[in-house]
Amino acid sequence: MIAPRLLAELHAMFSADRVATDADSLARYGLDWTRYYQPAPSAVVFPQTVDEVVAVVQWANREQVALVPSGGRTGLSGGAVARQGEVVVSFDRMKAISDFDPVARTVRCQAGVITEALQQFAAENGLYYPVDFASRGSSQIGGNIATNAGGIKVVRYGMTREWVAGLTVVTGKGEVLRLNNGLAKNNTGYDLRHLFVGSEGTLGFIVDATLKLARQPAELGVMVLAVPQLTDIMKLFHAFRERLDLNAFEFFSEKAMRHVLARGHVKRPFEGEADYYVLLEFEKLAADTEEVALAVFEACAEQGWLVDGVLSQSEQQAKDLWRLREDISESITPYKPYKNDIAVTVSRVPAFVERLDAILSREYPDFEVLWYGHIGDGNLHINILKPDALELDDFRRACEQVNEHVFSLVGEFGGSMSAEHGVGLLKRDYLDVTRSVEEIALMRAIKAVFDPNGVMNPGKLL
Ligand code: MLT
Ligand code: ZN
């Protein structure tokens, strides 16, 4: 914990309602959705201006205090965890949306803008913010950028990085940088904006962003397909993608879906059961798009790649079908799942899943293993549920042992050990699965340039 003198200085810097030291706030703001850590920050501060962010960073440098950035804290790798007396800097009071430019199709958001608020703003102005995921109602733009959030539409629209046209950041030294200024073209050397995207709060604070917006999609069709063989999923991907403009191509296992069904909010999509399901979404750009989708469905059924399916007939039905996939994460949270979030190049998915399936069945015969994810991006979420009888630490240790096998396979396939959830605390010790020794040394050197005193989110990522 920081000394009382330092707390008094924070109180002098911020008005009373913008410094929190009560137990509830410390517990809430010291933790993200990773449920493995014990939160223990010293204080939480709520700046309202860039100058206030600069002031707290300069103070932290003077006093050698560690700072942890805090957005919606929906991360799954412990990137926003404060457990060693750090001061948490929350962006809850920086929520302005401004400078909408309908011609450039950009808008400026302060770091604390909720993802869904931006999506709504875009829709009200006839446009679309396409980065989307289940935590849209609480995740914040600053956190999305700091973690380069992915989600359910990456196959069509890419990750958050694609949508960042400009950034204002406060570096770990307390300098304010305005990066790229919303420009579509700016070929003037190193693009520092992209260093901050995905930097997990280790280089500085993102205080606002100019984001690109897209045209609103046409009416969307959602299909759920029952697929007996995991390795056939990519055949379906290829077949549907050839004929349709896919906005999403997701998969989940029957075992995973059962956790969603058990909550009683949505029903099984059809009678037929299979070990796996695909959810795909497409844009109805032509009058005959639905017929095309059904023709592909028939052709795939003839091949035996799918055994049942449904195509949404209303917006409500499309939403309900999406819930089968989107609600998985929340419905398994009570089981404190050990999360693997891995990716390989999409063309290598079939060979990879075959090998991975063999490893998981061999190494986890007694654990419930759930498969789901963004398979059209080559991104698999593999969640292992903690058996009630097992202590959390023993469970984690068991899972980490299996990581050796899983990550060596990821390495063999040239994949990523964290496709979209980031590294944070949880995956820090595995960074070398995906990044070379030379790269990690350069990453450390870059951090030292932006944050020479190491006040920014220490212990995360590197
Ligand atoms: C998802 O795809 O559902 C999210 O990444 C969350 C999760 O993996 O649990
Ligand atoms: Zn995901």
Side-chain angles (χ1 to χ4, degrees), residues 151 325 374 379 381 420-421:
R325 162 67 186 89
H374 320 285
N379 179 188
H381 296 316
E420 64 168 7
H421 292 170

Side-chain angles (χ1 to χ4, degrees), residues 22-49:
D22 59 289
D24 273 2
S25 302
L26 297 184
R28 189 145 50 95
Y29 285 89
L31 213 55
D32 59 11
W33 278 5
T34 325
R35 291 292 180 241
Y36 287 134
Y37 304 103
Q38 210 38 53
S42 290
V44 189
V45 297
F46 299 89
Q48 284 176 331
T49 62

Side-chain angles (χ1 to χ4, degrees), residues 16 31 40 101 179 190 275 295 298 336 418 434:
L31 213 55
D101 183 337
L179 305 173
Y190 307 139
D275 281 351
E298 291 301 334
K336 296 201 167 34
S418 187
T434 303

Side-chain angles (χ1 to χ4, degrees), residues 76 250 325-326 329 339 372-374 381 383 420-421:
L76 294 164
E250 302 276 312
R325 162 67 186 89
E326 283 208 286
S329 188
K339 289 179 162 303
Y372 58 93
H374 320 285
H381 296 316
N383 283 242
E420 64 168 7
H421 292 170

